[in-house]
Amino acid sequence: MNIFIMGAPGSGKGTFSTKIKEEFNLNHISTGDIFRANIAGGTELGLQAKAYSEKGLLVPDEITNKMVKDYLNTLEDKKNGYLLDGYPRTLAQAKAFEEMTEGTDLAVEKIVYMDVPFDELTRRITGRRTCKKCGEIYNIYSKPSKVEGVCDVCGGELTQRKDDNEESLKVRLDEYAKNTEPVIAYYEEKNMVSRIDASKSMEEIWPDLKEALKNK
Ligand SMILES: [Zn+2]
């Protein structure tokens, strides 16, 4: 089964990707990993991508699309398919990928959308605090430390990541929604989307997800 997993920052996409990968024996990769591998390996696409990002420019879709396809082609162990995280980011990428893979065993079959309302994402992200010393993660709303600002585990100081404030989060979420909503709508028209209510707890989400992937 070939899957794209989509979801905003804070939707739990990363955590559930790992679980899906293990349960269904899939190759799991994020586009970030593909970029880094191409740049580290000095491939032609990697060099081109690097040139764009060094100038502070977005890497053009053609380069991203080709990197993703090349990567999927090099998978020796096809396992039961792939789980791709962070792609496609735009409708143009979705359509280009379809064109490149239509009728091949690389074509995507299912889109998992981790759906969380924005106010819940905001709580999850702006509430996040991390221990400077041991890295333990808290949330002032859902998993507060016993003493405010102090780590339960080691007594270290809890800090908030700079990007996790409300203003910069809103920019990230708006940007995400603007790009992603047309992609979801596109696949929904093709009846390929499993919309998972990811505002629930981890324990409740997992059975829903497994069920959705079994009823392909
Ligand atoms: Zn700590």
Side-chain angles (χ1 to χ4, degrees), residues 131 133-136 138 151 153-156:
C131 175
K133 237 164 119 189
C134 75
E136 184 77 6
Y138 297 86
C151 178
V153 180
C154 74

Side-chain angles (χ1 to χ4, degrees), residues 55-70:
K55 284 181 211 150
L57 299 171
L58 280 177
V59 178
D61 281 348
E62 306 93 78
I63 295 177
T64 307
N65 294 334
K66 193 140 190 317
M67 265 188 199
V68 170
K69 187 174 176 237
D70 282 359

